[in-house]
């Protein structure tokens, strides 16, 4: 528990009335006052949902403390906390509608099974690596076939294969020239591709 919670929570888990926690409506109003680009707005919406989740967890903890040491005098704080929980859950649902996050069902199933969702990421990466190897094998096979066909065609039609190679070299040089022209910046500098 951090120092702000220590100041507002009494020894029996009851919140003192002078707590300076913002209401869910206050956090929504503060969020609406700032606007930016769609990426910034999306990030801000996500941060608001995260803050709402944290606040809900705090309310649930306080509710647990109140219920675990319940007596007649703690009925009013219990009702206040229940109302705060309902308001915060409603606020969380409204904030969640603004977020466009798609979570694969497999991740949710892993979490339900008590497993680490990083396993899903690892499995997806391993699957991509395996598919990449298969595709690379097919590409290499087609390159070998092309080379073999060119050798056979060169023996049967040497002039046509020579003309084909000249056309192919000219088009490759043109493509390279266009690629270099597109990578030039307005000031004449050349863009450098980052090494991966």
């Amino acid at each position: 528990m951090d120092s702000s919670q220590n100041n507002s929570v009494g020894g029996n888990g009851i919140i003192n009335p002078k707590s300076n926690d913002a209401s869910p409506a206050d956090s929504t109003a503060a969020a609406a006052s700032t606007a930016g680009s769609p990426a910034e707005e999306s990030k801000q919406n996500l941060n608001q949902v995260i803050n709402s989740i944290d606040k809900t967890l705090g309310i649930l903890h306080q509710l647990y403390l109140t219920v675990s040491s319940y007596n007649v005098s703690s009925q009013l704080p219990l009702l206040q906390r229940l109302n705060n929980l309902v308001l915060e859950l409603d606020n969380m649902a409204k904030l969640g509608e603004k977020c466009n996050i798609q979570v694969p069902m497999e991740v949710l199933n892993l979490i339900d099974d008590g497993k680490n969702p990083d396993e899903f990421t690892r499995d997806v990466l391993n699957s991509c690596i395996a598919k990449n190897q298969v595709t690379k094998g097919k590409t290499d096979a087609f390159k070998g076939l092309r080379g073999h066909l060119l050798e056979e065609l060169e023996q049967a039609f040497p002039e046509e294969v020579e003309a084909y190679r000249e056309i192919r070299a000219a088009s490759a040089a043109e493509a390279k020239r266009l690629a270099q022209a597109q990578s030039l910046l307005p000031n004449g500098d050349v863009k450098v591709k980052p090494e991966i």
Side-chain angles (χ1 to χ4, degrees), residues 61-78:
H61 177 71
Q62 293 170 357
L63 196 57
Y64 166 76
L65 292 174
T66 304
V67 169
S68 65
S69 62
Y70 180 78
N71 57 35
V72 177
S73 65
S74 62
Q75 183 175 0
L76 182 61
L78 177 65

Side-chain angles (χ1 to χ4, degrees), residues 7-196:
N7 293 336
S8 62
V9 177
N12 60 357
I14 297 174
I15 295 180
N16 295 331
K18 55 187 170 187
S19 172
N20 56 359
D21 288 339
S23 70
D26 293 341
S27 62
T28 306
S33 67
T34 58
S37 70
E40 291 174 6
E41 188 175 322
S42 175
K43 192 173 187 178
Q44 186 179 17
N45 289 340
L46 182 60
N47 285 336
Q48 289 173 348
V49 171
I50 291 170
N51 290 339
S52 180
I53 290 170
D54 289 341
K55 190 171 183 181
T56 302
L57 290 172
I59 293 170
L60 285 171
H61 177 71
Q62 293 170 357
L63 196 57
Y64 166 76
L65 292 174
T66 304
V67 169
S68 65
S69 62
Y70 180 78
N71 57 35
V72 177
S73 65
S74 62
Q75 183 175 0
L76 182 61
L78 177 65
L79 292 175
Q80 289 173 342
R81 289 193 178 123
L82 284 172
N83 286 335
N84 286 343
L85 179 63
V86 170
L87 288 173
E88 194 58 42
L89 288 173
D90 183 50
N91 182 42
M92 188 189 313
K94 288 177 185 174
L95 291 172
E97 290 173 359
K98 296 178 186 177
C99 292
N100 185 17
I101 297 175
Q102 298 176 357
V103 179
M105 284 303 296
E106 293 88 355
V107 173
L108 297 177
N109 291 337
L110 280 172
I111 293 170
D112 286 342
D113 293 341
K115 296 179 181 173
N116 190 341
D118 290 342
E119 291 178 16
F120 174 76
T121 306
R122 185 189 65 225
D123 292 342
V124 168
L125 287 175
N126 287 339
S127 173
C128 288
I129 290 170
K131 288 178 182 177
N132 186 28
Q133 291 298 321
V134 169
T135 304
K136 184 180 182 307
K138 289 178 182 179
T139 304
D140 291 344
F142 278 117
K143 284 180 183 177
L145 176 64
R146 180 182 168 276
H148 180 69
L149 287 175
L150 271 178
E151 288 174 7
E152 294 291 324
L153 285 172
E154 190 171 24
Q155 290 176 2
F157 307 102
E159 295 87 22
E160 287 82 0
V161 170
E162 186 62 34
Y164 166 75
R165 286 190 173 148
E166 289 173 5
I167 292 170
R168 186 151 167 90
S171 66
E174 180 67 17
K176 184 176 180 181
R177 186 188 65 75
L178 285 174
Q180 288 176 345
Q182 289 176 350
S183 67
L184 288 178
L185 297 173
N187 62 3
D189 292 340
V190 178
K191 291 182 192 174
V192 178
K193 289 185 179 180
E195 296 283 333
I196 297 177

